[in-house]
Amino acid sequence: MHNSPIATAWTDIAAAMRRYPLVGMLGWQDVRQRYRRSTLGPFWLTVSMGVMIGAIGVVFGSIFNTPMTEFLPFLAAGLILWGFISSVVTEGCTGFIEAEGIIKELPLPLFLHILRMIWRNTLILGHNLVIFPLVLLAVGKWPNWAMLACIPGFLLVVVNLAWVALLVAMLCARYRDLPQIIASVLQVVFYLTPVMWMPSLMPKRVGPLLLNLNPIYHLLELVRAPLLDQTPSALNWGVAIGMAVIGWGMTLAVYGRYRHRIAYWL
């Protein structure tokens, strides 16, 4: 039992999670190092995100003929969350590759590098979230405590992103062309996901099918809906929970089997 792939994988993941102080320190150091000698630091991302939300909101709000009081908060929440999801997936592709030196020199749990990357992007997400209440105030709405209902949904999103990042990190360490392929796929998924367009604009025959088959849509809704004073559907929760259970089961089996080969792939 103890030699099974899942047990091997879980041992590594549990060891990484026990080193959360190290994960927190390394993730924070990554953010500081990336914006070293910068006056605004990571808030440069916040400024650029705010400008993009304003520009896209004005243009697409006019094209779709949608009231700004509805479209701008929807767009802001969607772009901020999409930035987090896409960054975790794309940076997950190089999660082990960028940590090659550490992996070959120090006997640290490999999953620690995935946790470090997720924590780094969570810190950046925290900076970008400053934009959302400002957008609400700009359209005459006020933030409220009910928005905190997005926290359980966000935690489930992170659980799903963790197995995705771990899986793509392994695959990309073995096959170096995959990061470019995954980045291209994410661009297509972005346009198929209601980030810049609202689900109500889709035709009734095509819209529900396109949305229900899009896992990113369900993950977005778990967080975006409470921020917009709405409630995620039971389908959103069911798909996200199902993804977490099936995804982690598959990833643990693959990770446990090939974990010891990762250092040789780098």
Side-chain angles (χ1 to χ4, degrees):
M1 175 66 182
H2 293 288
N3 294 325
S4 68
I6 292 181
T8 301
W10 180 248
T11 299
D12 181 90
I13 291 172
M17 295 180 68
R18 285 196 297 268
R19 302 199 180 195
Y20 65 90
L22 178 61
V23 172
M25 182 192 70
L26 291 175
W28 182 251
Q29 183 181 5
D30 287 342
V31 175
R32 293 184 61 184
Q33 188 68 25
R34 182 179 298 183
Y35 298 98
R36 189 179 182 183
R37 301 179 184 273
S38 172
T39 304
L40 292 180
F43 282 104
W44 275 116
L45 289 177
T46 305
V47 172
S48 62
M49 178 69 74
V51 172
M52 182 169 64
I53 290 171
I56 294 177
V58 172
V59 174
F60 281 82
S62 301
I63 294 175
F64 296 143
N65 195 24
T66 306
M68 281 297 169
T69 54
E70 297 179 11
F71 183 67
L72 206 56
F74 176 88
L75 175 68
L79 282 178
I80 292 170
L81 293 172
W82 173 263
F84 172 71
I85 292 173
S86 61
S87 293
V88 170
V89 175
T90 54
E91 292 184 21
C93 292
T94 57
F96 291 147
I97 297 173
E98 292 183 352
E100 177 182 358
I102 299 177
I103 291 174
K104 291 183 176 180
E105 293 179 8
L106 298 176
L108 292 174
L110 297 184
F111 188 64
L112 183 143
H113 305 293
I114 303 301
L115 291 178
R116 171 184 180 178
M117 179 273 299
I118 293 175
W119 174 239
R120 177 175 69 234
N121 282 285
T122 302
L123 292 174
I124 295 174
L125 172 66
H127 286 87
N128 289 337
L129 278 177
V130 175
I131 300 171
F132 188 72
L134 298 179
V135 169
L136 290 181
L137 294 175
V139 298
K141 296 183 179 181
W142 291 90
N144 56 70
W145 293 107
M147 293 179 178
L148 295 179
C150 71
I151 294 177
F154 175 73
L155 294 177
L156 184 54
V157 169
V158 172
V159 169
N160 275 288
L161 289 178
W163 73 258
V164 172
L166 178 58
L167 185 61
V168 298
M170 284 188 291
L171 293 175
C172 292
R174 178 65 179 86
Y175 305 102
R176 297 302 177 92
D177 292 331
L178 276 181
Q180 290 79 13
I181 297 175
I182 291 174
S184 299
V185 171
L186 280 175
Q187 289 181 350
V188 176
V189 173
F190 174 74
Y191 292 108
L192 295 177
T193 305
V195 177
M196 295 195 303
W197 50 271
M198 302 184 74
S200 59
L201 299 174
M202 292 293 294
K204 293 184 178 179
R205 293 183 179 180
V206 181
L209 180 63
L210 179 63
L211 295 177
N212 292 338
L213 294 179
N214 187 342
I216 303 298
Y217 165 71
H218 297 289
L219 296 181
L220 279 176
E221 281 299 289
L222 291 182
V223 184
R224 181 171 58 188
L227 292 177
L228 300 178
D229 202 19
Q230 300 170 4
T231 303
S233 67
L235 181 62
N236 297 147
W237 284 103
V239 171
I241 293 172
M243 286 173 55
V245 173
I246 297 174
W248 268 112
M250 173 186 63
T251 303
L252 286 174
V254 175
Y255 184 52
R257 181 173 181 179
Y258 295 104
R259 175 186 173 276
H260 297 292
R261 302 186 187 181
I262 292 176
Y264 298 100
W265 293 341
L266 298 175

